[in-house]
Amino acid sequence: MGLNPSQPGVSVQKTTMMQAQLNCLCLLMLYLTTGYSQERKFSGPLEPMTFSIFEGQEASQVIFQFKAKPPAVNFKLTGETDGIFQIQSDGLLYHNKALDRETRAVHRLQVSTLDAQGATVEGPVPITIEVKDINDNRPMFLQQKYEGSVRQNSRPGKPFMYVNATDPDDPATPNGQLLYEIVIQLPMINNIMYFQINNKTGGISLTVDGSRELDPSKNPSYSLVVSVKDMGGQNENSFSDSTSVDIIVNENIWKAPEPVEIVENSTDPHPIKITQVQWNEPGARYSLTGKEKGPKFPFSIDEEGGIYVTQPLDREEKDSYVFYATAMDEGGRLLSVPLEIRVKVKDINDNPPTCPSAVTVFEVQENEIIGSNIGTFIAHDEDEENTVNSILGYRIVDQIPKFPKEGLFLVQTYSGVFQLAAQSLKKQDTPQYNLTVEVADKDFKTLCDVQIHVIDINDQIPIFEKSDYGILTLAEDTAVGSTILTIQATDADEPFTGSSKILYRIIQGDSDGQLGVDTDPQTNAGYVIIKKPLDFETAAIHDIVFQAENPEPLVYGVNYNTSSSATFKLIVTDVNEAPVFSQRIYQAKVREDVAVGTKVGNVTARDPENLDISYSLRDDRRGWLKIDPVTGQISTRAPVDREAESMYVVHVVATEIGGSHLSSIASFHLTLSDVNDNPPRLAKDDAGLFLCHPLQTTGSVIFEATDDDQQSFLGPQFTFSLDSEFLQSNWEVSKINGTHARLATKHTNFEERVYNVPIRIKDGGRPPLERVVSLPVTFCKCVDGSCFLPAGHHSGMPTVGMAVGILLTTFLVIGIILAVVFIRIKKNGGKDNVESAQASEAQPLKN
């Protein structure tokens, strides 16, 4: 049939015109005899209506039957009928041709009713026919072949070209929804796609691999085959089309430019363009970023990528710059890695030479031979090193005095080395020469001052004022730093020079370096000082030999002799010294269950005078230890307990036997390691555990156990159980963790009193220890969550009668005491008054 009774509109099946007409007549008869419920769906009064009909259906399909109101006997159809829509005199609206949405998507019709004379009774009433789309058109690319180009290293995901296809079907339905796809890429290298397409817009862009790998020197072009499907590509019956895309790969122009050279202190107008960068596509936004943070950044970049220097540069201030140029899209995202820009500041000769100091001083010894080097004069030039701008030449232009002759000195033109040129010098003739030196580069000249001091040569040796300083006796405990002797030598060379300064050395008799000699720079006196403690036991007699020398070497042919040496004898006397322990602190470690009498350590001391030593202990507070007075062996004399003291510290006294009975002290630290010798116990008094009586449901209390032994890093690991099987019908114990457990009731039938529940607690030691503890649990009435016990129910609380008796007894005792005191006061009143008056006169007032 041509009409589906389940829809208000019309659904068409393929049939012939004759069958359609016959069906319409049958339907009409059916509608007139089956009641209004069916009639309202397929027929009705003339009123504005909209019908949706799929395109492409067979002709002569019934749409609707309008009912006319008397006196109307006929219907008239006008509007966009396109010769397709007709209406019969009985109001049956139908179409006689297949509809095409692509020709007309909406037909706007008007229906009127006419009377027998042809006059309009109703209408015209608008009737809208919407033609629903079916997928009867295939998508078509606008071009059979597309051509495009892309720069290597372009940003992945940004389209560089588009392909476009059209489909006449309704774009609001899946029939007109197109899906693009790249089906072939040639060449395909390592099975990696270098190109991707936006499946909705047709925009072609590079993949991440393509952005990285495209290289026109290897593959200058690529060919793609792109397909397009309608139905969103989700239906196997969808239509498709394909096109070819040829892509040329162009070289990446986003490259760092060659390093730039800029001449310093340029006078040309700024800014000056120095180089250029360019992104592969127009529209990029450029910026510059300095590599180093500085007070100024003298560069800028314009919208076209031109880079400028904005002010004159000074090479002596900064000789090179490194910064980065970045390209960003309109959203501020980097298009590629920044480019490094290098700028070198080219030097010009804009700095004169400078002298190394206001006056440069050289020394030359008298009798030096001609050609001897005196020193090297080095001036400075701020211009670039190793260029013509910084090469300096030296020339002596003046000598004062010119005695004994002019031209006594010369300077090497480029090295600045001064030499003795004419003859040897004598200090007696002139002790100092002042020279003026010209230093020049290719454009500038500078005059510098040089002084040459003639110094005495070291041709005189130091001579001691006496060769033997006799015998000196010192106690071995003489303080370090004490001056014990003054020695004196003299030198005939020029005073206060390296030739006349005297240094003293001990060359014999002090192999351990216990003595030293300090020289007075003004008088050359030598002060013999104790540098290390003297030791009678090591060496009682020292035969000391001093040697006096100059820091400057002697001239050739002059040598030190016996006049430059002296002797003295040092005798060290013995001083009784206390014994010396081999170490300040002795340490030992034992288990706390060590047997009494076990050796736990040994101390040793030595007496410098080789006297016998007796050992004893001090501060043995617990009396745990004893020491052998002869050998220094320490052993236990009583049981030790780690829980009482884990590290036991005593002092060992070593006393010499005989002599002055001097002694010294060392510490002995005994560390006690733990053994499991303490059974578990309750961590605190749990008398406050209670349950509210009467119980409404089973209740529980939580208690904690502890152990005085040292615990492992995991902490205590106790186990808990009831000590009596008889109690298991009333109570149960469950472990919460290693230290806590829960005691719970098994029923609610308990009296209002205190229950002492025996709990067995076992530790995890080796071997394990256990203890049975009594855990009191009080069943009591509760007020605001707290246990409330009437006073009469507390053990030890007195009754009211007892309280009254105690109070009366107290008052009676107080009365007796007051009566005794009153009687004594009356008896001694007069005597006490006299004594009090005398006392008040004799004693001054105190604050």
Side-chain angles (χ1 to χ4, degrees):
M1 295 179 67
L3 192 62
N4 187 346
S6 65
Q7 299 178 358
V10 178
S11 172
V12 180
Q13 298 179 349
K14 295 182 178 179
T15 183
T16 63
M17 178 69 74
M18 186 178 295
Q19 290 171 332
Q21 293 174 350
L22 181 60
N23 288 340
C24 289
L25 293 173
C26 293
L27 284 171
L28 181 59
M29 294 176 65
L30 176 64
Y31 301 155
L32 296 174
T33 59
T34 56
Y36 289 102
S37 61
Q38 293 288 332
E39 188 175 286
R40 288 295 295 174
K41 293 184 179 179
F42 309 105
S43 64
L46 181 61
E47 58 186 8
M49 299 185 72
T50 299
F51 301 95
S52 296
I53 304 175
F54 281 103
E55 66 174 330
Q57 294 184 356
E58 293 291 337
S60 301
Q61 297 295 313
V62 175
I63 301 173
F64 196 78
Q65 184 172 25
F66 297 100
K67 291 183 178 182
K69 296 179 181 179
V73 295
N74 199 2
F75 288 86
K76 178 183 178 182
L77 179 67
T78 58
E80 299 171 344
T81 62
D82 293 344
I84 299 175
F85 298 96
Q86 292 181 348
I87 191 167
Q88 296 182 153
S89 60
D90 57 0
L92 194 66
L93 178 66
Y94 65 95
H95 60 89
N96 57 23
K97 294 181 182 179
L99 303 180
D100 184 11
R101 192 201 68 85
E102 286 71 42
T103 300
R104 189 186 294 273
V106 179
H107 293 264
R108 292 174 174 81
L109 310 177
Q110 295 85 37
V111 176
S112 304
T113 59
L114 308 175
D115 60 13
Q117 287 74 34
T120 301
V121 177
E122 288 184 274
V125 174
I127 305 298
T128 302
I129 307 295
E130 295 178 347
V131 183
K132 297 181 68 175
D133 187 51
I134 63 173
N135 192 23
D136 57 348
N137 293 280
R138 63 175 293 193
M140 299 287 292
F141 278 104
L142 300 182
Q143 299 175 213
Q144 292 300 312
K145 184 176 183 179
Y146 290 83
E147 294 181 348
S149 63
V150 64
R151 295 277 182 187
Q152 69 178 134
N153 304 125
S154 291
R155 182 159 63 93
K158 183 177 182 181
F160 59 85
M161 66 176 296
Y162 287 85
V163 294
N164 298 100
T166 60
D167 190 319
D169 290 321
D170 188 357
T173 67
N175 303 328
Q177 292 178 2
L178 305 184
L179 182 101
Y180 297 93
E181 181 182 8
I182 297 175
V183 295
I184 297 176
Q185 170 189 298
L186 295 176
M188 176 76 80
I189 301 171
N190 297 326
N191 201 32
I192 297 175
M193 290 294 292
Y194 289 165
F195 300 90
Q196 58 187 347
I197 190 168
N198 186 307
N199 59 11
K200 290 183 173 58
T201 66
I204 299 177
S205 61
L206 295 181
T207 63
V208 174
D209 291 318
S211 176
R212 184 171 54 247
E213 301 295 338
L214 280 186
D215 186 350
S217 64
K218 297 179 180 179
N219 292 293
S221 64
Y222 287 81
S223 295
L224 307 179
V225 174
V226 178
S227 73
V228 62
K229 294 181 180 180
D230 60 15
M231 303 294 289
Q234 303 299 316
N235 194 311
E236 61 181 6
N237 297 322
S238 60
F239 295 115
S240 64
D241 191 18
S242 62
T243 187
S244 63
V245 181
D246 292 338
I247 300 174
I248 302 298
V249 181
N250 295 323
E251 184 180 6
N252 179 21
I253 59 175
W254 181 248
K255 294 182 178 179
E258 294 295 323
V260 179
E261 280 195 353
I262 301 176
V263 176
E264 68 171 330
N265 299 323
S266 171
T267 58
D268 295 337
H270 285 74
I272 300 173
K273 186 173 182 179
I274 57 174
T275 189
Q276 174 81 38
V277 295
Q278 184 178 350
W279 178 242
N280 296 316
E281 302 163 8
R285 298 178 180 178
Y286 301 100
S287 64
L288 298 180
T289 304
K291 185 176 182 180
E292 301 172 354
K293 300 289 185 182
K296 63 179 181 179
F297 183 71
F299 302 97
S300 64
I301 189 168
D302 62 18
E303 294 180 352
E304 304 301 323
I307 299 176
Y308 298 82
V309 59
T310 59
Q311 63 188 54
L313 305 181
D314 185 359
R315 192 205 68 85
E316 287 71 42
E317 180 182 331
K318 188 173 179 61
D319 61 358
S320 64
Y321 295 84
V322 178
F323 53 93
Y324 296 97
T326 58
M328 293 176 288
D329 62 13
E330 60 279 0
R333 295 182 295 271
L334 284 176
L335 294 171
S336 184
V337 295
L339 301 180
E340 185 178 77
I341 313 296
R342 292 185 171 272
V343 175
K344 180 181 179 181
V345 184
K346 191 174 181 180
D347 186 48
I348 62 174
N349 191 25
D350 57 347
N351 291 280
T354 59
C355 304
S357 59
V359 178
T360 301
V361 178
F362 295 128
E363 290 184 344
V364 58
Q365 287 187 339
E366 59 182 351
N367 296 331
E368 287 278 2
I369 62 174
I370 296 175
S372 297
N373 286 353
I374 299 173
T376 302
F377 183 79
I378 300 177
H380 302 285
D381 194 308
E382 295 295 332
D383 292 316
E384 186 175 2
E385 294 182 2
N386 302 318
T387 65
V388 66
N389 298 328
S390 61
I391 295 179
L392 304 180
Y394 301 93
R395 184 170 67 94
I396 298 174
V397 296
D398 193 16
Q399 169 191 315
I400 298 175
K402 298 178 174 56
F403 178 82
K405 61 166 48 176
E406 192 172 4
L408 290 174
F409 309 96
L410 63 85
V411 61
Q412 299 289 341
T413 304
Y414 294 108
S415 67
V417 174
F418 274 76
Q419 293 176 293
L420 194 59
Q423 66 180 51
S424 298
L425 305 178
K426 290 188 178 294
K427 185 172 183 178
Q428 296 92 318
D429 297 337
T430 302
Q432 175 180 310
Y433 292 90
N434 296 315
L435 306 180
T436 301
V437 179
E438 178 189 87
V439 185
D441 60 20
K442 70 185 186 71
D443 297 314
F444 299 97
K445 294 179 180 179
T446 302
L447 298 179
C448 300
D449 294 328
V450 176
Q451 287 185 358
I452 298 180
H453 297 172
V454 181
I455 61 174
D456 183 34
I457 60 174
N458 192 15
D459 56 357
Q460 302 292 322
I461 63 173
I463 298 175
F464 272 99
E465 62 180 6
K466 56 183 178 180
S467 60
D468 188 353
Y469 283 86
I471 300 173
L472 180 63
T473 301
L474 295 175
E476 64 177 331
D477 61 352
T478 302
V480 172
S482 301
T483 300
I484 61 173
L485 181 67
T486 300
I487 58 178
Q488 183 72 62
T490 58
D491 192 303
D493 289 312
E494 181 184 359
F496 307 110
T497 66
S499 299
S500 63
K501 182 178 179 179
I502 298 176
L503 302 177
Y504 298 97
R505 289 191 305 123
I506 298 175
I507 61 175
Q508 185 178 315
D510 185 27
S511 58
D512 293 334
Q514 294 171 310
L515 303 179
V517 183
D518 293 340
T519 301
D520 186 324
Q522 301 298 321
T523 64
N524 274 339
Y527 302 105
V528 183
I529 298 172
I530 297 178
K531 298 290 186 182
K532 296 180 181 179
L534 303 176
D535 187 4
F536 169 81
E537 288 73 24
T538 301
I541 299 175
H542 299 265
D543 291 318
I544 305 298
V545 177
F546 298 110
Q547 175 74 32
E549 299 174 346
N550 301 127
E552 287 287 337
L554 297 172
V555 298
Y556 180 76
V558 178
N559 299 299
Y560 297 106
N561 55 37
T562 56
S563 299
S564 298
S565 62
T567 62
F568 98 105
K569 183 185 294 288
L570 174 62
I571 299 176
V572 180
T573 60
D574 187 29
V575 174
N576 190 20
E577 299 171 274
V580 179
F581 279 98
S582 59
Q583 57 194 71
R584 299 294 299 170
I585 297 176
Y586 295 84
Q587 296 180 338
K589 184 176 182 179
V590 296
R591 287 165 52 96
E592 65 173 326
D593 61 351
V594 62
V596 174
T598 301
K599 175 186 175 181
V600 296
N602 206 93
V603 299
T604 57
R606 180 187 62 83
D607 186 74
E609 289 76 38
N610 293 322
L611 296 176
D612 291 335
I613 294 174
S614 174
Y615 299 99
S616 61
L617 293 180
R618 183 183 296 175
D619 300 327
D620 184 13
R621 304 178 310 284
R622 299 185 181 273
W624 285 351
L625 303 177
K626 62 181 179 179
I627 189 169
D628 188 305
V630 177
T631 64
Q633 177 177 300
I634 300 175
S635 56
T636 60
R637 69 173 178 179
V640 296
D641 183 10
R642 189 204 68 84
E643 286 70 40
E645 201 158 352
S646 60
M647 177 180 284
Y648 192 54
V649 179
V650 297
H651 294 96
V652 182
V653 181
T655 305
E656 64 182 12
I657 300 174
S660 302
H661 300 286
L662 298 178
S663 62
S664 57
I665 299 176
S667 295
F668 180 75
H669 295 183
L670 179 62
T671 300
L672 301 178
S673 57
D674 187 49
V675 297
N676 192 27
D677 58 349
N678 290 277
R681 59 179 174 82
L682 291 176
K684 54 187 175 180
D685 180 12
D686 285 312
L689 298 177
F690 70 92
L691 293 172
C692 293
H693 185 275
L695 290 179
Q696 303 301 318
T697 183
T698 57
S700 65
V701 293
I702 296 174
F703 61 95
E704 179 184 2
T706 187
D707 192 323
D708 294 324
D709 290 317
Q710 186 176 11
Q711 303 300 330
S712 67
F713 69 96
L714 295 176
Q717 296 297 321
F718 299 123
T719 58
F720 306 87
S721 62
L722 292 171
D723 185 50
S724 173
E725 294 182 0
F726 170 76
L727 298 172
Q728 293 180 359
S729 60
N730 298 327
W731 305 90
E732 65 178 351
V733 177
S734 58
K735 182 178 179 178
I736 298 176
N737 53 35
T739 58
H740 290 74
R742 185 189 308 277
L743 176 64
T745 65
K746 283 190 171 183
H747 57 79
T748 61
N749 189 22
F750 287 87
E751 298 177 3
E752 186 179 358
R753 65 180 180 88
V754 177
Y755 288 81
N756 291 302
V757 183
I759 305 293
R760 184 179 300 276
I761 308 174
K762 180 186 287 187
D763 65 19
R766 297 183 181 178
L769 296 179
E770 63 181 32
R771 172 182 284 172
V772 177
V773 299
S774 179
L775 184 67
V777 180
T778 302
F779 286 81
C780 57
K781 289 183 173 59
C782 292
V783 177
D784 296 332
S786 299
C787 184
F788 174 75
L789 291 177
H793 290 181
H794 286 275
S795 59
M797 186 72 109
T799 64
V800 174
M802 294 173 62
V804 172
I806 293 172
L807 186 60
L808 291 175
T809 303
T810 303
F811 286 153
L812 180 59
V813 172
I814 293 173
I816 294 171
I817 294 173
L818 291 175
V820 172
V821 172
F822 179 74
I823 292 171
R824 289 181 61 85
I825 291 174
K826 292 290 287 182
K827 184 181 294 185
N828 300 322
K831 180 180 178 181
D832 291 339
N833 290 337
V834 173
E835 291 178 351
S836 298
Q838 292 174 348
S840 62
E841 290 178 357
Q843 296 180 359
L845 292 175
K846 296 182 180 179
N847 291 328

